[in-house]
Amino acid sequence: MTDGSTDACTVWLPALAHFAAGGALRASLTRADALPAGANGFAAGLAACFAGVPTPLPAAALIRQSVVGDAGDGPWLAADPAWARADINGIRLMACGHMQLDMAQAQALADPLQPLFAEAGMQLQVSTPDHWQLRLPEGVELPMLTSPQEAMGEDIAEHLPQGAAGKPWRLLLNDIQVALHQHPLNAARRARGLPPVNTLWFWGAGRMPGSVHSTLRGVVSDDLLLRALAGRTGIAPQARSPAAIAAATAGCLLDLQDLSAAEVEAQWWPQLAPLLAQQPVLLHFASGERWLRRPWHRWRVWRRSER
């Protein structure tokens, strides 16, 4: 690379448009250097950071291996618990994972679905409350599938498996939604003001990749897929914490992309601001914009334009 970012610590952030114009983060961009646009979205960011991973990314196998260690060389498919809500324009994906489940609740929801998958020769595995996987039979035909990040907030009809290859998956998903709608745990969730787990989101199909490479020197993230990829390259990922951010150095990736802009500003900017004063930091937004901020940039007092 020739943009001067190779000696920087990289921070992944939500889309730039989500940050308030008068906020501290946008103010920091006033004195930073704009770089050419980079990867747009989480999946593209992963592809840019890790070489040797097939496309589409085999998220299910990577997460299963990272958490349980039994992915082997067979095919897997992510089947994460999700919430879809009907409105006048269709049925929208509102949440995938992050459903405030514990392992006992996740297993209770998954158990009635097992016969549906068994009929198709599949096994549903609950690795974590938010990450479920299907162990698939050899030779199963997989349709094109969309990651939850790409589909969030959109009509799920636009992202369902299409065509003849997709028909069995659409029928299976319909049966899953009926079973989940009738589950007593969802009635209890509604009574507590929580959204129901009323569907599963299929994505991330494939087998464990072989050799994976990265030029990253460290990863700070709470995302299991990013942590799994880091582990495949020999990087020991760290959970997101103020201490981990304060200790970050050049070549480290700090992942805040899953948070809201308001959370970043209120909870994490106090940890990031000292980092910008100490070393070069590449601020990479989910929408692709990139800004490089170096410590000496604080002297650019003549820069007053809005970002």
Side-chain angles (χ1 to χ4, degrees):
M1 298 178 66
T2 60
D3 56 21
S5 64
T6 55
D7 63 340
C9 171
T10 298
V11 182
W12 279 0
L13 295 160
L16 179 58
H18 295 166
F19 287 90
L25 188 142
R26 279 190 178 265
S28 75
L29 301 183
T30 301
R31 302 180 186 182
D33 288 333
L35 301 180
N40 190 322
F42 187 71
L46 293 178
C49 286
F50 297 94
V53 180
T55 302
L57 190 68
L62 284 161
I63 292 173
R64 181 68 184 182
Q65 181 64 26
S66 176
V67 175
V68 183
D70 67 350
D73 58 1
W76 291 82
L77 175 68
D80 292 339
W83 169 41
R85 185 179 66 188
D87 62 23
I88 59 173
N89 296 313
I91 301 177
R92 299 191 179 279
L93 181 66
M94 303 303 297
C96 183
H98 308 289
M99 296 298 295
Q100 301 181 54
L101 296 169
D102 59 29
M103 278 298 287
Q105 293 168 337
Q107 198 62 61
L109 286 165
D111 284 346
L113 306 181
Q114 295 290 3
L116 299 176
F117 292 114
E119 289 180 11
M122 307 175 192
Q123 296 177 353
L124 181 61
Q125 306 283 351
V126 178
S127 297
T128 75
D130 290 330
H131 293 280
W132 306 2
Q133 296 87 32
L134 290 173
R135 190 188 295 268
L136 304 176
E138 291 291 342
V140 65
E141 185 175 2
L142 291 173
M144 294 298 293
L145 299 160
T146 305
S147 73
Q149 292 90 351
E150 295 173 280
M152 196 62 61
E154 298 186 3
D155 187 350
I156 64 173
E158 299 175 6
H159 299 280
L160 290 176
Q162 300 299 312
K167 184 176 181 179
W169 294 99
R170 296 194 299 273
L171 294 174
L172 177 59
L173 190 59
N174 184 70
D175 291 341
I176 290 166
Q177 290 169 348
V178 170
L180 289 174
H181 177 75
Q182 298 170 346
H183 201 289
L185 183 59
N186 274 325
R189 287 177 63 86
R190 292 187 187 93
R192 293 164 53 203
L194 294 174
V197 179
N198 58 9
T199 191
L200 300 184
W201 195 258
F202 297 142
W203 69 289
R207 305 171 189 267
M208 277 296 294
S211 180
V212 179
H213 308 282
S214 178
T215 58
L216 293 173
R217 299 172 199 161
V219 168
V220 175
S221 177
D222 287 346
D223 183 84
L224 278 184
L225 179 54
L226 176 51
R227 292 169 66 89
L229 281 167
R232 293 293 290 176
T233 69
I235 298 170
Q238 300 179 68
R240 190 164 55 209
S241 71
I245 288 179
T249 57
C252 289
L253 171 62
L254 310 182
D255 173 31
L256 306 181
Q257 197 172 129
D258 60 305
L259 304 175
S260 69
E263 286 178 286
V264 172
E265 294 257 38
Q267 299 177 26
W268 295 99
W269 188 251
Q271 282 76 47
L272 290 173
L275 210 63
L276 271 65
Q278 297 163 6
Q279 61 181 293
V281 175
L282 175 63
L283 301 172
H284 189 155
F285 296 88
S287 41
E289 301 92 345
R290 299 188 307 154
W291 298 84
L292 180 63
R293 176 69 187 254
R294 297 185 182 276
W296 64 267
H297 287 173
R298 68 185 182 275
W299 299 113
R300 290 173 161 176
V301 293
W302 64 89
R303 291 195 176 189
R304 302 291 184 186
S305 59
E306 286 273 329
R307 298 298 187 190

